[in-house]
């Protein structure tokens, strides 16, 4: 569909108003909301993710594209609900206790939404008990933890422990990320996967659902 | 049961002309042995098998197996050369270990010029001859009073030997900070002390041992007896000061990043085992917050900005970055995580300011670079990276967004002459600077630099906005630290680290922190000014500001 390609490109260029207009047009043309979502918006974010990963575009471009994505989603949402389209999964995300860094986490959040997930963002400086509370309340498929300092990365371990103690560890998958984090650390603390960047996090999240 | 006596093994460690022989128990790790030997070994991850820098040559009768992941960290070339990584090796036979020799580090010591009679120079001379309680107490029988001004940097230690009676700097010397093998940045070192509290004493001991080596050098070559050195001022960032005094930094590691103390401290040399007169007084400068320390206050003192009517900006980018804006009425300060990229670290071909580092690039010349010491190029240091990016922007090879163009997109004449430089490395676009040595800058390196410069530019912009002033109102921009003295104003403006309104307003202060330490050593009045500066400087925590992210992202483009 030509118009779906146009939506994808408009999103990649961060043209929020054009995205909105094209989505309204697609709805009027009786295209399926799910198709518009997947082949228009998610397709566009997928390209953004790849280009960000190889350095062709950078943080500002991703943020602008994400803004266009959000604009598109607000228009599309009621139609998705009407036709019973579900997100591919649900993720609870947050930056751990003692850490205030959120740009990385926000980029991961955008990529996850861009991959079709529903996102619950707990913000920064989030305690283990708050993560546990969010898991009980929202029943996510995945919990994603961000930490940017070697001094706060230990908190990721504490969150996993807290989930174990609450008997919730086996109900979710745990993803971790942040500058000082690596595979070895993720394995040591019992996380399911370590993602080195936002686009990889979205790919890893999809894989975790299987 | 017959008790088996444990067999041990002999290790011979060689570094240049130095040699040490030790006997160790079987199964002991080689990395800790080398740490204890005192012969400095490169490395930044405290032996945690992630940095790949503790390279050695090994000789042994039997095979020494590779550790899991060792070959990957070394890379094919090094493996072929027979290089090994010390952190992966356990001693299970006699071994011969050869450590690489140190490269001469270009440690910044200049910043004080005895003969400099211009503005600040004259002020300093007067200050140096001023009254000082330190000096009075330190007076020796021959009336020659010697003192040391010490700048404890995360990366380098700089020490100035001062004749306090004459008010002159006799000599200076520096070295790399021995704490580095446990981590290049303060957070990593703080982390060690959290995981193992005895590490606080270890870090204290490492820095004091490092200082003593420098002091011994200085005293020796200037024929000054250790006991004639009776006073010392110490400046440094808060983490360095905490570790120097053996005080816990636990609370600095997590929000809200509070230090254990910020006031000035005095201790006796013998309490720290420093190799000067045991009763010599060590005066540690006060700090502003967990991340703006005595070194920044000392730099502000040296600049004189706290006494001027006019508005000034001071930027001190070393391993960490501090920014101060203000005048005699008051000052605002903040701290930014700018470090690595501006220092050449964590980049594909990045290196510190050592011999052979490319420190300036001019694409219109051949070769298009100069190196420290004029040696064969071996990497790019901070000023080199900033200059190559400025040049790539100038010749239309790099877009202001930070994207490296593809050959066919380049329009400029010179740009087209440089097409051969556009290559592919590590799966991405890159620009080749030195073909034989294979030194290049990749797309990802440029992105790293953008993050660093975005943070600094954001810090400056937020301070301006919080103070309610615009860039045009700033009359002077002081650049302190290695960053300031090696990176050119035109490049800082090309990269939009500094806005164009700062053109012609920058002044390089060299090691301003060191200068400030010297001033406080010789003059009580100068030291009191530091205490006064602390009182009138407010700290702004950028991490907590909602608008930081927005300003940061706005400042990423060139």
């Amino acid at each position: 569909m030509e118009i779906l390609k146009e939506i994808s490109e408009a999103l990649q260029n961060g043209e929020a108003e054009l995205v909105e207009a094209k989505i309204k047009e697609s709805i009027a043309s009786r295209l399926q909301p799910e198709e518009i979502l997947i082949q228009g918006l998610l397709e566009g974010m997928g390209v953004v993710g790849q280009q960000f990963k190889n350095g062709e575009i950078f943080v500002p471009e991703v943020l602008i594209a994400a803004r266009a994505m959000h604009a598109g989603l607000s228009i599309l949402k009621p139609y998705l609900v009407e036709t019973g389209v579900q997100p591919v999964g649900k993720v609870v995300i947050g930056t751990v206790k003692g850490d205030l860094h959120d740009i990385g986490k926000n980029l991961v959040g955008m990529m996850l939404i861009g991959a079709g997930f529903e996102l619950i963002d707990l913000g920064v400086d989030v305690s283990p008990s708050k993560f546990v509370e969010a898991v009980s309340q929202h029943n996510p498929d995945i919990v994603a933890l961000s930490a940017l300092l070697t001094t706060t990365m230990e908190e990721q371990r504490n969150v996993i422990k807290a989930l174990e103690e609450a008997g919730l560890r086996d109900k979710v998958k745990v993803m971790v990320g942040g500058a000082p984090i690596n595979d070895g650390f993720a394995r040591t603390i019992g996380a399911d996967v370590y993602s080195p960047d936002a686009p990889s996090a979205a790919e890893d999240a999809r894989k975790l659902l299987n | 049961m017959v008790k088996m006596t444990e067999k041990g093994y002999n290790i011979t460690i060689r570094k240049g002309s130095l040699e040490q022989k030790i006997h160790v128990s079987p199964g002991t790790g080689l990395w800790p042995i080398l740490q204890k030997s005192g012969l400095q070994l490169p490395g930044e991850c405290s032996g945690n098998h992630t940095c790949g820098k503790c390279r050695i040559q090994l000789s042994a009768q039997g095979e020494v197996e590779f550790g899991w992941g060792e070959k990957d960290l070394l890379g094919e070339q090094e493996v072929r050369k027979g290089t090994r990584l010390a952190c992966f090796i356990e001693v299970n036979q006699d071994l011969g270990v050869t450590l690489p020799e140190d490269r001469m580090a270009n440690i910044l010591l200049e910043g004080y010029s005895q003969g400099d009679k211009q503005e600040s120079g004259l002020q300093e001379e007067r200050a140096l001859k001023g009254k000082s309680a330190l000096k009075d107490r330190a007076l020796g029988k021959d009336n020659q009073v010697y003192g040391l001004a010490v700048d404890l940097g995360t990366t380098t230690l700089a020490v100035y030997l001062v004749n306090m009676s004459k008010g002159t700097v006799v000599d200076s010397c520096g070295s790399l900070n021995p704490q580095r093998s446990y981590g290049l940045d303060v957070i990593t070192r703080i982390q060690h002390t959290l995981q193992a509290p005895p590490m606080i004493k270890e870090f204290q001991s490492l820095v004091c041992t490092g200082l003593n080596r420098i002091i011994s050098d200085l005293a020796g070559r200037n024929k000054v007896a250790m006991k004639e050195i009776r006073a010392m001022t110490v400046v440094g960032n808060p983490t360095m000061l905490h570790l120097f005094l053996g005080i816990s930094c636990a609370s600095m590691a997590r929000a809200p990043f509070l230090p254990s103390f910020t006031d000035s401290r005095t201790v006796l040399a013998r309490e720290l085992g420093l190799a000067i007169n045991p009763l010599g007084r060590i005066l540690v400068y006060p700090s502003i917050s967990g991340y703006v320390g005595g070194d920044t206050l000392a730099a502000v003192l040296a600049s004189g900005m706290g006494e001027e009517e006019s508005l000034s900006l001071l930027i001190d980018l070393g391993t960490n970055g501090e920014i101060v804006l203000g005048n005699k009425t008051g000052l605002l300060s903040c701290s930014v995580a700018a470090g690595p990229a501006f220092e050449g670290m964590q980049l594909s071909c990045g290196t510190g300011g050592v011999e052979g580092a490319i420190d300036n690039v001019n694409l219109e010349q051949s070769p298009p670079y100069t190196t420290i010491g004029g040696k064969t190029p071996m990497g790019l240091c901070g000023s080199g990276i900033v200059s190559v990016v400025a040049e790539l922007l100038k010749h239309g090879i790099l877009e202001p967004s930070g994207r490296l163009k593809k050959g066919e997109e380049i329009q400029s004449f010179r740009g087209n002459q440089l097409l051969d430089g556009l290559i592919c490395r590590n799966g991405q676009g890159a620009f080749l600077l030195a073909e034989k040595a294979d030194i290049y800058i990749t797309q990802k390196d440029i992105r790293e630099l953008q993050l660093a410069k975005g943070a600094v530019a954001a810090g400056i912009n937020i301070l301006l906005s919080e103070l309610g002033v615009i860039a045009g109102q700033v009359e002077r921009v002081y650049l302190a630290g290695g960053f300031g003295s090696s990176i050119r104003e035109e490049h800082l403006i090309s990269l939009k680290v500094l806005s164009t309104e700062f053109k012609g307003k920058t002044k390089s202060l060299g090691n301003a922190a060191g200068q400030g330490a010297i001033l406080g050593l010789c003059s009580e009045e100068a030291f009191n000014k530091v205490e006064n500066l602390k009182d009138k400087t407010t700290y702004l925590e950028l991490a907590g500001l909602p608008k930081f992210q927005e300003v940061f992202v706005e400042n990423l483009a060139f």
Side-chain angles (χ1 to χ4, degrees):
Chain A
M1 287 281 102
E2 192 55 40
I3 193 166
L4 297 179
K5 245 187 160 167
E6 286 168 11
I7 291 174
S8 169
E9 274 172 26
L11 184 152
Q12 291 170 46
N13 293 328
E15 294 166 300
E17 282 171 9
L18 190 56
V19 169
E20 288 175 347
K22 292 286 171 190
I23 287 183
K24 287 183 187 148
E25 217 184 290
S26 333
I27 299 282
S29 314
R30 303 245 193 275
L31 285 176
Q32 284 303 312
E34 186 165 24
E35 227 188 318
I36 302 172
L37 173 72
I38 296 175
Q39 289 182 39
L41 297 177
L42 304 194
E43 170 72 29
M45 275 311 274
V47 174
V48 169
Q50 275 317 300
Q51 290 180 331
F52 181 50
K53 202 167 176 176
N54 64 28
E56 232 178 288
I57 62 171
F58 201 37
V59 178
E61 289 92 354
V62 175
L63 290 181
I64 295 172
R67 230 169 269 161
M69 174 184 69
H70 281 294
L73 278 175
S74 332
I75 306 285
L76 203 52
K77 202 141 186 210
Y79 301 98
L80 292 171
V81 172
E82 201 182 279
T83 51
V85 178
Q86 298 284 1
V88 307
K90 195 191 287 193
V91 181
V92 162
I93 193 170
T95 297
V96 299
K97 187 154 181 55
D99 201 328
L100 303 179
H101 294 94
D102 70 347
I103 295 178
K105 166 188 73 68
N106 294 347
L107 288 172
V108 170
M110 287 168 215
M111 289 291 132
L112 285 171
I113 294 176
F117 283 89
E118 184 189 335
L119 189 80
I120 290 134
D121 190 341
L122 301 178
V124 298
D125 195 16
V126 182
S127 66
S129 54
K130 232 177 146 204
F131 274 110
V132 169
E133 199 186 302
V135 170
S136 328
Q137 203 190 331
H138 298 284
N139 282 316
D141 300 281
I142 299 171
V143 175
L145 310 174
S146 174
L148 211 77
L149 305 172
T150 46
T151 42
T152 55
M153 62 198 262
E154 280 304 305
E155 281 296 322
Q156 290 178 341
R157 192 197 301 260
N158 293 341
V159 173
I160 293 176
K161 257 200 232 133
L163 287 170
E164 278 166 8
E165 279 160 23
L168 293 170
R169 177 64 184 96
D170 50 0
K171 301 239 164 42
V172 293
K173 295 285 187 205
V174 177
M175 298 177 55
V176 292
I181 316 295
N182 56 36
D183 257 325
F185 180 74
R187 246 180 289 134
T188 318
I189 63 171
D192 291 293
V193 77
Y194 155 69
S195 309
D197 53 57
S200 305
E203 284 164 27
D204 293 335
R206 299 288 308 238
K207 286 192 204 138
L208 281 177
L209 291 179
N210 300 333
Chain B
M1 284 283 287
V2 176
K3 193 168 186 226
M4 297 287 282
T5 47
E6 257 202 59
K7 190 178 192 291
Y9 297 110
N10 295 314
I11 314 223
T12 309
I13 311 173
R14 284 184 199 89
K15 183 177 181 179
S17 53
L18 300 168
E19 192 180 281
Q20 263 190 47
K21 285 195 201 297
I22 13 179
H23 191 79
V24 302
S25 323
T28 318
L30 186 57
W31 192 88
I33 295 171
L34 294 176
Q35 288 302 310
K36 285 209 178 62
S37 74
L39 297 167
Q40 285 223 26
L41 173 70
E44 359 173 307
C45 66
S46 355
N48 276 328
H49 320 302
T50 52
C51 77
K53 296 194 177 168
C54 56
R55 298 183 187 163
I56 55 168
Q57 290 293 320
L58 208 56
S59 58
Q61 286 247 321
E63 198 198 324
V64 180
E65 272 186 23
F66 276 93
W68 188 83
E70 187 181 350
K71 280 195 187 151
D72 288 324
L73 282 172
L74 278 167
E76 246 184 75
Q77 221 183 6
E78 292 294 327
V79 172
R80 253 181 279 130
K81 281 199 228 162
T83 311
R84 298 297 303 269
L85 292 176
C87 63
F88 282 97
I89 296 167
E90 277 180 8
V91 181
N92 284 309
Q93 55 183 299
D94 291 341
L95 292 176
V97 181
T98 310
L99 303 183
E101 291 189 59
D102 295 328
R103 283 194 170 263
M104 277 301 296
N106 205 27
I107 293 171
L108 182 71
L109 292 166
E110 286 154 28
Y112 177 77
S113 166
Q114 206 182 313
D116 186 354
K117 292 254 191 270
Q118 294 156 26
E119 2 161 328
S120 53
L122 192 54
Q123 179 195 20
E124 282 158 20
E125 241 190 65
R126 248 186 276 125
L128 283 181
K129 292 203 167 85
K131 283 185 59 183
S132 159
L134 266 185
K135 211 186 342 185
D136 291 341
R137 260 188 226 110
L139 222 48
K141 58 175 162 26
D142 54 355
N143 279 6
Q144 283 312 305
V145 179
Y146 288 98
L148 296 170
V150 174
D151 177 13
L152 298 181
T154 309
T155 308
T156 57
L157 307 177
V159 181
Y160 301 84
L161 177 63
V162 178
N163 181 321
M164 290 163 71
S165 335
K166 296 197 183 130
T168 54
V169 174
V170 173
D171 198 356
S172 58
C173 182
S175 80
L176 292 177
N177 186 331
Q179 296 171 346
R180 289 173 89 236
S181 37
Y182 287 99
L184 294 187
D185 63 282
V186 294
I187 292 284
T188 309
R189 293 180 209 173
I190 296 175
Q191 171 70 344
H192 282 298
T193 65
L194 291 176
Q195 285 176 333
M199 278 305 295
I200 299 178
K201 287 287 172 233
E202 176 64 19
F203 279 128
Q204 183 183 41
S205 162
L206 281 169
V207 75
C208 290
T209 307
L211 282 178
N212 284 343
R213 260 188 229 124
I214 300 173
I215 293 171
S216 159
D217 266 351
L218 280 174
R221 65 196 198 204
N222 290 285
K223 310 237 187 326
V224 171
M226 311 268 225
K227 64 176 167 66
E228 284 181 87
I229 305 173
R230 295 180 169 97
M232 186 192 283
T233 46
V234 177
V235 302
N237 64 53
T239 307
M240 288 301 108
L241 298 183
H242 278 59
L243 295 176
F244 177 66
L245 293 171
I247 296 175
S248 163
C249 328
S251 52
M252 280 157 65
R254 36 187 54 228
F257 311 114
L258 299 172
S260 299
F261 71 99
T262 55
D263 51 310
S264 58
R265 295 282 168 107
T266 307
V267 293
L268 295 180
R270 67 178 175 202
E271 290 174 56
L272 296 179
L274 286 170
I276 63 172
N277 191 302
L279 293 178
R281 274 170 192 268
I282 321 274
L283 178 56
V284 176
Y285 275 34
S287 299
I288 300 285
S289 69
Y291 286 90
V292 177
D295 51 352
T296 308
L297 281 175
V300 170
L301 175 73
S303 72
M305 68 190 274
E307 292 171 79
E308 288 158 13
E309 289 271 359
S310 57
L311 196 60
S312 301
L313 183 67
L314 176 113
I315 308 173
D316 191 342
L317 290 191
T319 309
N320 302 300
E322 294 87 42
I323 308 172
V324 183
L325 175 69
N327 63 5
K328 66 195 234 186
T329 314
L331 304 143
L332 258 186
S333 66
C334 72
S335 154
V336 290
F342 278 125
E343 291 199 306
M345 300 320 227
Q346 287 178 21
L347 300 173
S348 313
C349 302
T351 178
V354 296
E355 284 191 329
I358 293 178
D359 62 351
N360 194 47
V361 171
N362 183 334
L363 294 179
E364 295 182 79
Q365 291 180 348
S366 184
Y369 54 78
T370 57
T371 61
I372 294 179
K375 306 274 178 180
T376 331
M378 43 68 81
L380 272 164
C381 68
S383 56
I385 289 172
V386 168
S387 66
V388 70
V389 172
E391 285 285 293
L392 291 174
L393 280 169
K394 181 171 163 192
H395 295 291
I397 298 173
L398 186 66
E399 269 178 9
S401 72
R403 185 180 77 88
L404 262 179
K405 288 187 187 169
K406 300 208 168 50
E408 52 272 20
E409 297 171 80
I410 293 173
Q411 312 244 335
S412 79
F413 178 68
R414 186 66 184 147
N416 271 296
Q417 291 180 316
L418 296 164
L419 286 180
D420 283 345
L422 284 174
I423 57 172
C424 206
R425 278 282 186 279
N426 309 338
Q428 54 183 295
F431 187 81
L432 186 65
L433 265 179
E435 202 178 334
K436 260 219 300 226
D438 199 34
I439 296 171
Y440 51 88
I441 180 168
T442 64
Q443 177 67 84
K444 286 215 177 102
D445 289 339
I446 295 170
R447 298 304 188 187
E448 276 301 318
L449 187 65
Q450 282 181 274
L451 292 174
K453 83 102 183 168
V456 178
I460 295 172
N461 287 333
I462 290 177
L463 284 186
L464 287 170
S465 120
E466 289 292 302
L467 204 62
V469 298
I470 57 169
Q473 290 172 267
V474 174
E475 292 191 33
R476 264 283 208 233
V477 178
Y478 294 105
L479 303 177
F483 170 76
S485 27
S486 56
I487 301 187
R488 302 179 187 195
E489 178 190 286
E490 50 170 310
H491 292 153
L492 290 175
I493 294 180
S494 304
L495 265 57
K496 296 217 175 70
V497 178
L498 293 180
S499 76
T500 45
E501 280 123 313
F502 293 134
K503 190 166 178 191
K505 294 179 177 174
T506 63
K507 181 175 185 207
S508 195
L509 291 181
N511 187 350
Q515 281 186 79
I518 294 167
L519 291 171
L521 177 67
C522 302
S523 155
E524 186 145 19
E525 193 192 328
F527 184 72
N528 289 337
K529 281 187 192 162
V530 174
E531 298 278 30
N532 179 255
L533 283 170
K534 174 191 160 67
D535 289 335
K536 62 185 187 190
T537 306
T538 311
Y539 177 68
L540 189 64
E541 177 57 73
L542 296 178
L545 282 181
K547 67 174 170 180
F548 179 73
Q549 185 177 307
E550 195 188 314
V551 180
F552 172 64
V553 172
E554 276 169 21
N555 280 284
L556 287 175
F558 292 121

